[in-house]
């Protein structure tokens, strides 16, 4: 063979290898080609991707196996959305598997790149668990994608499920051309679906298959203080039922009492205590003088237990069963349900009854009361039965179980008697067998989540300012301060405080930052001292102009848009501040803002200004209720905060004598 012929063969092979990623790659399936050819309308500049095809078929077998086939395709309109060119599928190692996973990228030129087993990466589904049966496979094409590309994938999974319920979300932040879900059941089985966030979607029937479909769905815009996406997008919850008397491993839930009975079977046997545990509980409560203090001592101990999650047998409901309290106590670690179980056992040894409470952490509006399902929850907390002599903002009264104080043993920033903001007002299931039920979690009043601030300042004739800020936070306001203080190193914390002061005080130089975490009392204290060489603006030496609101409030709701699509969600908070500014001796007040008082159903605001004994005294207070305000009332809340900001931005003018 001649050298020229060999060189030619090598060149040809190289060209084929270079082209194998595109032109000669595995051909995309017909559905993906059809989706890629879809004619799209013109979208606004904020739309960077369009979901062309979103479909899933769940085939339920008599033996409890569920085979799911998923097809999905997206068109990338802007580089901002290259990350959407990704396929991800979760599975349980003990009860399921991914049978097939393929993906394709179609470039605007028509070139094709295919992805398969070699490109699939197997990862843990939850990063902070020591061990978890749940894993996921991922194919990422983000680095290959660009504007104009279409990415699509096919995935087939097989899982042995213990639950007979599925949820399907038709919409996302991007527009969706077509979204479809099909449930194929054995003969004699039936399916029922509940529709959320739009009129009822009726299924199309084909034999014993049910199909729900929507087309041409607009993108969902997230606005400031808007509800979470689960309350904005159209979705369905599907229940499947075996024939009456049919023996099956798949468990159905017709009511919340069914869910309570099921969860009690998993939780109650694990909450037994041993003598060493009882001795520890007695030690913790030794100095406690009241029932509340005993619960508080045990609660602090439960929060101190290391958060480590070990999840096995998820396909058999293992993710809902806590480890035994004795094991958690001996090993000093566990996840949320383990901490709740340990606390229950310790309280029981002191003669205090309690119940697990399953809840969705992170979105108070996520749980849907119309759909009895354990799959709606991702977190476990506790309800402690208390006497009439014990009280706290987080107490509810249950018709059968009596007075219950709700507490989260996992959140070590929130003490007994308080509840994290993202859990307040949520529907949660009190797990108590026949007496269990879905109830609303308490919402603490604004006054329980308050920030109190006193500012003492001195203004010089050259416009320089020295000031001392003394803050005391309570409830969830203290939790926000505490989280920042505990989660970062001290230099980073100081930098955050410096940036906060600098937002309203130019060239501020801080000489003191003194935080004190009083978590046992539910408080947080912060003292800050600083100076600014040019806080007041001097005009030809005859006038000084400055803002009495020296430092900003911790929270600032800004609603600048004239129109609104979604309701406004407010959290309960209260704020009051007194500012005393010593005025320079050779200046008098020439202009002073008018006070302001606003009283609306969702909140109150008051501000007033006074000159007394050489001081300018500025007071402001704000109270907001935990509420959701309909879109129709958006102008009222927008005007409310516009007037608040206007008052706080108003300057005082001093004139030289």
């Amino acid at each position: 063979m001649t050298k020229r012929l060999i060189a030619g063969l090598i060149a040809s092979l190289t060209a084929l290898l270079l082209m194998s990623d595109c032109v000669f790659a595995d051909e995309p399936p017909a559905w993906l080609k059809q989706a890629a050819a879809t004619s799209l309308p013109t979208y606004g500049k904020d739309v960077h991707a369009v979901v062309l095809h979103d479909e899933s078929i769940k085939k339920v077998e008599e033996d409890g196996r569920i085979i799911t086939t998923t097809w999905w395709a997206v068109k990338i309109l802007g580089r901002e959305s290259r990350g959407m060119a990704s396929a991800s599928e979760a599975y349980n190692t003990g009860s399921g598997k991914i049978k097939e996973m393929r993906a394709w990228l179609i470039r605007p030129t028509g070139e094709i790149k295919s992805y398969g087993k070699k490109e699939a990466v197997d990862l843990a589904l939850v990063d902070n668990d020591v061990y978890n049966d749940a894993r996921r496979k991922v194919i990422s094409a983000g680095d290959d994608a660009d504007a104009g590309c279409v990415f699509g994938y096919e995935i087939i999974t097989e899982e042995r499920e213990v639950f007979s319920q599925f949820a399907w979300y038709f919409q996302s932040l991007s527009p969706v051309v077509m979204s479809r879900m099909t449930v194929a059941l054995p003969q004699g089985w039936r399916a029922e679906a509940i529709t959320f966030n739009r009129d009822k979607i009726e299924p199309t029937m084909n034999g014993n298959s049910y199909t729900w479909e929507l087309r041409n769905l607009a993108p969902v815009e997230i606005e400031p203080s808007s509800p979470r996406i689960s309350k904005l997008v159209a979705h369905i919850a599907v229940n499947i039922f075996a024939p009456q008397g049919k023996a099956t491993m798949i468990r159905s839930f017709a009511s919340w009492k069914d869910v309570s009975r099921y969860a009690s079977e998993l939780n109650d046997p694990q909450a037994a205590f041993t003598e060493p545990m009882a001795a520890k509980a007695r030690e913790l409560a030794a100095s406690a003088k009241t029932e509340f203090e005993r619960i508080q001592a045990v609660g602090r101990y439960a929060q101190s237990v290391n958060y480590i999650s070990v999840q096995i047998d998820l396909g058999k409901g293992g993710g809902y069963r806590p480890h035994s309290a004795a094991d958690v106590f001996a090993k000093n670690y566990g996840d949320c349900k383990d901490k709740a179980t340990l606390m229950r056992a310790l309280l029981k040894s002191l003669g205090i009854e309690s119940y697990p409470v399953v809840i969705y952490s992170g979105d108070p509006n996520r749980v849907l009361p119309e759909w009895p399902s354990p799959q709606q929850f991702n977190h476990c907390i506790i309800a402690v039965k208390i006497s009439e002599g014990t009280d706290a903002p987080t107490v509810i009264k249950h018709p059968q179980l009596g007075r219950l104080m709700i507490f989260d043993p996992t959140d070590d920033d929130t003490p007994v008697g308080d509840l994290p903001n993202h859990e307040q007002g949520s529907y949660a299931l009190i797990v108590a067998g026949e007496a269990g039920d879905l109830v609303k979690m308490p919402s603490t009043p604004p006054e329980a989540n308050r920030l109190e601030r006193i500012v003492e300042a001195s203004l010089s004739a050259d416009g320089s300012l020295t000031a001392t800020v003394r803050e005391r936070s309570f409830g969830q306001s203290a939790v926000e301060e505490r989280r920042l203080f505990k989660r970062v190193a001290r230099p980073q914390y100081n930098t955050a405080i410096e940036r906060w002061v600098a937002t309203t005080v130019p060239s501020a130089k801080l000489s003191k930052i003194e935080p004190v975490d009083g978590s046992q009392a539910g408080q947080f204290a912060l003292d800050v001292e600083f100076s600014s060489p040019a806080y007041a603006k001097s005009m030809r030496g005859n006038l000084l102009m400055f803002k009495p609101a020296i430092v900003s409030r911790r929270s600032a709701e800004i609603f600048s848009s004239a129109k609104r699509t979604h309701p406004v969600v407010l959290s309960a908070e209260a704020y009051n501040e007194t500012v005393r500014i010593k005025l320079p001796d050779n200046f008098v007040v020439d202009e002073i803002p008018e006070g302001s008082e606003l009283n609306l159903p969702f909140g109150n605001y008051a501000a007033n200004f006074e000159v007394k004994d050489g001081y300018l005294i500025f007071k402001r207070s704000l109270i907001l209720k935990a509420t959701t305000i309909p879109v129709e009332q958006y102008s009222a809340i927008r005007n409310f905060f516009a007037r608040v900001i206007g008052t706080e931005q108003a300057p005082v003018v001093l004139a030289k004598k």
Side-chain angles (χ1 to χ4, degrees):
M1 187 178 291
T2 66
K3 292 183 178 179
R4 181 177 297 178
L5 180 58
I6 292 173
L9 287 171
I10 292 174
S12 299
L13 287 170
T14 302
L16 285 170
L17 288 171
L18 290 172
M19 296 176 67
S20 65
D21 266 356
C22 43
V23 176
F24 294 108
D26 292 344
E27 280 291 306
W31 72 266
L32 181 54
K33 290 181 179 179
Q34 182 178 352
T38 302
S39 179
L40 301 175
T42 301
Y43 295 104
K45 61 181 181 179
D46 294 332
V47 175
H48 305 299
V50 181
V51 177
L52 303 173
H53 192 109
D54 185 12
E55 182 175 10
S56 178
I57 295 179
K58 289 187 175 292
K59 185 182 179 185
V60 180
E61 302 287 358
E62 294 272 4
D63 60 3
R65 286 180 301 127
I66 298 177
I67 300 169
T68 303
T69 305
T70 302
W71 300 271
W72 191 83
V74 63
K75 184 166 187 177
I76 307 299
L77 302 182
R79 291 181 62 85
E80 301 90 338
S81 292
R82 296 174 70 194
M84 290 186 68
S86 176
S88 179
E89 186 67 32
Y91 69 101
N92 294 321
T93 57
S95 60
K97 58 185 175 180
I98 295 178
K99 300 176 69 174
E100 188 173 331
M101 188 173 190
R102 298 187 300 162
W104 300 266
L105 184 73
I106 305 175
R107 297 189 174 102
T109 60
E111 294 177 333
I112 298 161
K113 182 170 182 178
S114 64
Y115 307 81
K117 290 182 179 179
K118 292 181 180 179
E119 292 78 21
V121 180
D122 196 86
L123 303 170
L125 183 65
V126 182
D127 293 335
N128 62 344
D129 285 358
V130 171
Y131 179 79
N132 196 319
D133 272 350
R135 298 190 64 81
R136 63 190 174 111
K137 282 191 177 180
V138 177
I139 292 176
S140 177
D143 291 341
D144 301 325
D146 212 334
C149 289
V150 171
F151 174 81
Y153 63 78
E154 290 184 355
I155 300 174
I156 301 175
T157 66
E158 181 180 305
E159 186 79 28
R160 287 189 177 273
E161 291 279 1
V162 294
F163 299 134
S164 58
Q165 300 170 309
F166 316 114
W168 181 258
Y169 286 79
F170 292 94
Q171 286 176 275
S172 68
L173 297 177
S174 301
V176 178
V177 175
M178 191 282 292
S179 182
R180 178 191 300 142
M181 183 193 190
T182 297
V183 176
L185 299 175
Q187 196 64 34
W189 291 49
R190 63 185 176 87
E192 295 178 356
I194 307 168
T195 305
F196 300 98
N197 303 326
R198 69 174 293 143
D199 293 338
K200 182 176 175 59
I201 304 170
E202 296 291 350
T204 301
M205 299 291 298
N206 182 11
N208 218 32
S209 293
Y210 300 70
T211 298
W212 296 265
E213 180 178 323
L214 291 178
R215 289 180 176 268
N216 301 320
L217 301 168
V220 177
E221 178 187 1
I222 301 298
E223 300 168 306
S225 300
S226 67
R228 301 296 178 94
I229 193 168
S230 63
K231 300 299 291 184
L232 303 176
V233 301
H235 61 282
I236 57 173
V238 181
N239 296 314
I240 62 173
F241 301 92
Q244 188 73 25
K246 171 76 174 178
T248 174
M249 66 174 290
I250 297 179
R251 188 154 185 167
S252 300
F253 302 97
S255 69
W256 284 112
K257 289 199 180 298
D258 287 346
V259 183
S260 175
R261 285 191 291 267
Y262 166 75
S264 293
E265 292 170 9
L266 299 177
N267 281 268
D268 288 349
Q270 307 298 87
F273 65 86
T274 61
E275 179 49 38
M277 295 170 65
K280 182 63 178 181
R282 291 192 296 269
E283 174 192 330
L284 292 169
S287 61
K289 296 180 175 62
T290 64
E291 180 183 59
F292 181 86
E293 290 178 354
R294 288 193 292 275
I295 298 168
Q296 188 180 48
V298 174
R300 284 198 298 266
Y301 176 77
Q303 288 177 324
S304 73
V305 170
N306 296 307
Y307 183 92
I308 296 177
S309 181
V310 177
Q311 303 291 346
I312 59 175
D313 289 334
L314 294 179
K316 301 177 182 178
Y320 297 86
R321 185 194 302 276
H323 295 90
S324 72
D327 281 349
V328 180
F329 178 73
K331 296 174 181 177
N332 194 39
Y333 70 77
D335 63 8
C336 60
K337 58 186 179 293
D338 297 329
K339 284 170 167 268
T341 301
L342 174 62
M343 184 171 175
R344 289 184 66 203
L346 294 173
L347 289 173
K348 187 186 297 183
S349 74
L350 297 175
I352 300 174
E353 191 67 43
S354 61
Y355 309 94
V357 178
V358 284
I359 192 170
Y360 189 91
S361 173
D363 182 358
N365 297 307
R366 180 65 176 260
V367 176
L368 308 167
E370 304 95 322
W371 188 35
S373 171
Q375 295 170 273
Q376 292 207 64
F377 308 112
N378 68 352
H379 190 43
C380 183
I381 59 177
I382 190 171
V384 184
K385 188 175 178 62
I386 57 174
S387 63
E388 292 292 337
T390 299
D391 205 4
T394 57
V395 173
I396 62 173
K397 191 166 184 179
H398 189 274
Q400 289 178 267
L401 303 175
R403 301 180 75 245
L404 302 173
M405 182 166 61
I406 310 299
F407 171 61
D408 189 340
T410 302
D411 187 340
D412 56 4
D413 293 322
T414 302
V416 171
D418 197 3
L419 195 63
N421 256 335
H422 58 85
E423 296 170 8
Q424 293 188 24
S426 172
Y427 278 110
L429 178 68
I430 298 176
V431 178
E434 286 293 330
D437 204 358
L438 192 74
V439 300
K440 272 268 190 181
M441 291 293 95
S443 293
T444 56
E447 296 77 10
N449 307 295
R450 68 189 185 279
L451 171 64
E452 298 177 352
R453 179 189 294 160
I454 296 175
V455 181
E456 294 285 350
S458 179
L459 186 67
S460 300
D462 61 0
S464 62
L465 179 86
T466 60
T468 298
V469 179
R470 182 178 181 270
E471 288 191 345
R472 300 296 180 264
S473 302
F474 305 85
Q476 288 300 294
S477 292
V479 167
E480 293 178 12
E481 298 299 310
R482 187 176 301 120
R483 282 192 178 133
L484 174 62
F485 177 63
K486 291 170 62 176
R487 299 300 189 269
V488 300
R490 186 57 188 269
Q492 285 75 27
Y493 177 80
N494 288 353
T495 298
I497 299 302
E498 289 167 355
R499 288 175 178 168
W500 162 58
V501 174
T503 57
T504 52
V505 182
S507 304
K509 183 178 181 180
L510 278 69
S511 56
K512 177 182 178 181
I513 302 175
E514 188 175 287
V516 177
D517 182 9
S519 56
Q520 291 191 17
Q523 300 178 14
F524 190 90
L526 175 64
D527 292 342
V528 177
E529 294 179 2
F530 60 88
S531 62
S532 172
Y535 180 71
K537 184 178 180 182
S538 178
M539 292 171 283
R540 296 183 298 277
N542 295 318
L543 297 175
L544 282 177
M545 185 170 66
F546 65 93
K547 295 176 184 177
I550 297 175
V551 289
S552 66
R553 287 181 285 108
R554 284 291 197 237
S555 61
E557 291 78 6
I558 299 175
F559 302 100
S560 55
S561 299
K563 294 183 180 179
R564 178 94 179 182
T565 303
H566 307 307
V568 176
V569 179
L570 296 178
S571 297
E573 65 174 278
Y575 169 85
N576 61 73
E577 177 183 23
T578 298
V579 180
R580 284 169 40 90
I581 304 175
K582 178 69 172 68
L583 303 177
D585 293 336
N586 54 339
F587 280 83
V588 295
V589 174
D590 187 57
E591 293 182 23
I592 190 169
E594 292 185 5
S596 179
E597 185 171 351
L598 306 172
N599 296 293
L600 289 171
F602 56 80
N604 310 95
Y605 178 78
N608 60 72
F609 305 82
E610 179 186 10
V611 178
K612 184 177 181 181
D613 300 330
Y615 283 84
L616 173 71
I617 303 172
F618 167 56
K619 294 182 179 181
R620 56 176 168 169
S621 64
L622 175 68
I623 296 177
L624 294 178
K625 299 176 182 177
T627 187
T628 299
I629 301 168
V631 173
E632 296 77 21
Q633 299 175 22
Y634 172 61
S635 60
I637 192 168
R638 182 169 182 259
N639 293 337
F640 178 90
F641 283 106
R643 288 190 59 184
V644 169
I645 293 170
T647 299
E648 296 179 347
Q649 294 293 317
V652 169
V653 179
L654 305 181
K656 197 169 186 179
K657 292 180 182 178

